[in-house]
Amino acid sequence: SRLFSSIEGVLSLHTLINNPYEGVILIDNNGKIKYINSLNERFFKIKLSKIKNKHITNLIPNSRLHFIAKS
């Protein structure tokens, strides 16, 4: 079953994204940042509005997330 196929899945995703103890970065298949949570905003000292739609390597130069997203 798909994560978004139920209310429980949506609530689980909401809980994961808003977890104050885990850094969350969401990127698309091209490595463009779509979301970072508040923990990462504080860690990287940058607001989502400044980094959204930039390539992940602008935030983490040695990142390999964009390769993982394609596979």
Side-chain angles (χ1 to χ4, degrees), residues 2-70:
R2 296 190 53 153
L3 178 63
F4 299 113
S5 65
S6 68
I7 290 294
E8 292 83 12
V10 171
L11 291 174
S12 295
L13 181 62
H14 182 268
T15 301
L16 170 69
I17 288 174
N18 293 301
N19 183 337
Y21 306 106
E22 298 287 335
V24 176
I25 301 174
L26 299 178
I27 64 170
D28 67 12
N29 289 343
N30 296 312
K32 304 285 181 169
I33 296 168
K34 296 302 174 183
Y35 176 81
I36 62 173
N37 66 352
S38 60
L39 182 69
N40 273 325
E41 285 183 323
R42 290 189 306 274
F43 180 80
F44 290 108
K45 297 179 172 90
I46 193 164
K47 291 288 185 188
L48 174 60
S49 61
K50 297 289 185 188
I51 199 74
K52 188 173 182 178
N53 294 315
K54 305 273 190 212
H55 197 267
I56 185 64
T57 55
N58 289 312
L59 184 65
I60 307 171
N62 296 325
S63 178
R64 312 262 317 145
L65 283 176
H66 54 292
F67 294 116
I68 294 167
K70 286 189 183 261

